[in-house]
Amino acid sequence: MSDPTAHPEQPAAAAPAAAGAAATAVQTPAYGDGGPAAVSGAPESAPAALAARAAALDAADPLAAVRDRFALDDTVYLDGNSLGALSTGVLPRLTDVVTREWGELRIRSWEESGWWTAPERIGDRIAPLVGAAPGQVVVGDSTSVNVFKAVVAAVRMAPADRTEILVDAATFPTDGYVAASAARLTGHTVRAVAAGEMAAAADDRTALALVNHVDYRTGRLHDLPGITAALHQAGALAVWDLCHSAGALPVTLDASGVDLAVGCTYKYLNGGPGAPAYLYVRRDLQPRFDSPLPGWNSHADPFGMAPGYEPADGAPRGRVGTPEILSLLALDAALDAWDGVDIADVRAKSLALTDFFLDCVAALLPPGLVESVTPADHAERGSQVSLRCAGAGEVMRELTARGIVGDFRRPDVLRFGFTPLYTRYADALRAARVLADVLVPEGTA
């Protein structure tokens, strides 16, 4: 989620330097586990060349027409890594769901409108975006709840003498909180390890590792196939958080042998605020998946109302309670925006967009005002650019007021998410221009 301090109407998190203040070195530890990409100035002739380059890139963009599938305005929206834009198909679909399926069919819609099977059906729509065959993804509950299910289930699958849970040291906080709680409940311990060191850290004590595919602060992409293979070599299970990767780049769950994975649907999948998350359980592990939250919806005979629990087969075993139908079907409609879209094209545009934005920042800002903490190496970059900047909270508020919406991560990071389905190269250039105007007001350069 976006930090509310990123928006103009909210108070600052700390007393930041004024926008446009003289460049100062920001002496804070680097985020993630790697070095930043350098951002330095370029000749004054660059703006015209950048504009021509943006126009040419937009004209050649194979995904350009997909932008029309979203409700957008003149704002440059670079916060799709927190909340994706509204797909134009969502409102008519929800109108039909509310007025006809709920309003007219009422309880009949559980069967006649396919409500009961929606968690698996929509899971199968997400599956290709995460490199999974059908029957392994179920949609429902929040990311936090699914992390809990996955971690405890992985502990229960692991040998009893493996009592340690490794957690990505730079993880999104919820994952760490949930892992710690799961450890207390199961008599395990938690050890925080940098994602890049996870492979070396796993040993004969390790039950599982919970790893983020993309670091939410820096946009660093971690080696899912390599880390998974190393964990398996050590006899441990791999549980991946895909919140910042699914829908932005290819994910290879089946091909990499990932054991369990979770992810949200309101970022690059554009499912809407609070949209339900998903849980992946590799097919051969499904009979061993022992959910810590058994509910009537995951029972083998949910309407038998038996006092004892017997888990369902397959993906439905990951369900708990009654599905969140309105938000589920909003997500279903949002996924229509992916029709005919090749994830390879999405990845290619993501890298080109972030490259171009970094070039624009280097060309339009004097050296030293910002520092990228996002890896320059394509193999280590997700679909965002994070810039360290003095007074970042105040800078983001001013950017938002001027029509450039990104977000701010404490203490000093401006975070810009690039969603290839609707972000244009012209948007990247405009964002860099406005950033330069905010940091270097006219007459102060």
Side-chain angles (χ1 to χ4, degrees), residues 109-160:
S109 275
W110 284 106
E111 184 172 336
E112 295 179 28
S113 300
W115 287 3
W116 185 260
T117 57
E120 293 79 47
R121 177 174 55 80
I122 299 170
D124 282 347
R125 297 192 70 189
I126 292 172
L129 297 175
V130 294
Q136 300 175 102
V137 178
V138 64
V139 180
D141 304 313
S142 68
T143 306
S144 302
V145 170
N146 281 305
V147 169
F148 180 73
K149 293 182 213 171
V151 170
V152 175
V155 165
R156 291 174 174 176
M157 291 180 195

Side-chain angles (χ1 to χ4, degrees), residues 93-403:
R93 176 65 189 283
L94 280 183
T95 299
D96 181 63
V97 170
V98 171
T99 59
R100 183 181 63 84
E101 295 182 10
W102 180 14
E104 298 174 14
L105 294 178
R106 292 176 285 275
I107 201 166
R108 292 163 52 193
S109 275
W110 284 106
E111 184 172 336
E112 295 179 28
S113 300
W115 287 3
W116 185 260
T117 57
E120 293 79 47
R121 177 174 55 80
I122 299 170
D124 282 347
R125 297 192 70 189
I126 292 172
L129 297 175
V130 294
Q136 300 175 102
V137 178
V138 64
V139 180
D141 304 313
S142 68
T143 306
S144 302
V145 170
N146 281 305
V147 169
F148 180 73
K149 293 182 213 171
V151 170
V152 175
V155 165
R156 291 174 174 176
M157 291 180 195
D161 60 349
R162 288 179 173 264
T163 58
E164 184 177 74
I165 299 170
L166 301 183
V167 176
D168 182 348
T171 190
F172 188 79
T174 282
D175 289 17
Y177 304 157
V178 169
S181 178
R184 291 194 300 273
L185 288 169
T186 60
H188 284 56
T189 59
V190 171
R191 180 159 57 109
V193 178
E197 300 170 6
M198 198 73 75
D203 58 28
D204 58 7
R205 298 170 298 166
T206 307
L208 69 122
L210 174 60
V211 198
N212 290 266
H213 197 190
V214 172
D215 186 292
Y216 78 99
R217 290 187 189 91
T218 67
R220 174 176 289 278
L221 172 64
H222 296 124
D223 180 8
L224 182 147
I227 293 173
T228 299
L231 290 169
H232 288 170
Q233 183 67 28
L237 287 90
V239 181
W240 285 88
D241 182 329
L242 309 177
C243 286
H244 285 270
S245 58
L249 52 92
V251 181
T252 57
L253 294 183
D254 282 356
S256 299
V258 168
D259 302 297
L260 301 105
V262 300
C264 66
T265 62
Y266 49 78
K267 300 183 191 296
Y268 296 110
L269 300 185
N270 309 295
Y278 57 89
L279 170 68
Y280 164 90
V281 182
R282 199 177 71 223
R283 191 180 312 279
D284 63 298
L285 293 180
Q286 289 173 359
R288 297 171 55 202
F289 180 81
D290 182 6
S291 175
L293 295 172
W296 77 285
N297 256 236
S298 62
H299 196 284
D301 182 13
F303 291 96
M305 303 299 172
Y309 180 73
E310 179 185 347
D313 292 330
R317 189 174 289 211
R319 292 170 66 157
V320 181
T322 305
E324 313 92 323
I325 290 300
L326 295 183
S327 54
L328 260 176
L329 298 184
L331 168 62
D332 193 23
L335 291 171
D336 290 346
W338 286 91
D339 289 351
V341 173
D342 188 331
I343 194 66
D345 289 339
V346 171
R347 178 57 169 164
K349 184 178 177 183
S350 165
L351 292 172
L353 273 169
T354 50
D355 278 344
F356 181 62
F357 179 68
L358 286 167
D359 288 349
C360 291
V361 170
L364 300 175
L365 272 70
L369 280 181
V370 298
E371 175 192 17
S372 176
V373 295
T374 299
D377 187 343
H378 284 183
E380 298 179 352
R381 187 194 307 167
S383 199
Q384 71 186 56
V385 172
S386 297
L387 302 176
R388 181 179 289 127
C389 172
E394 180 62 32
V395 170
M396 185 53 70
R397 279 189 290 274
E398 185 59 28
L399 286 172
T400 302
R402 299 189 192 194

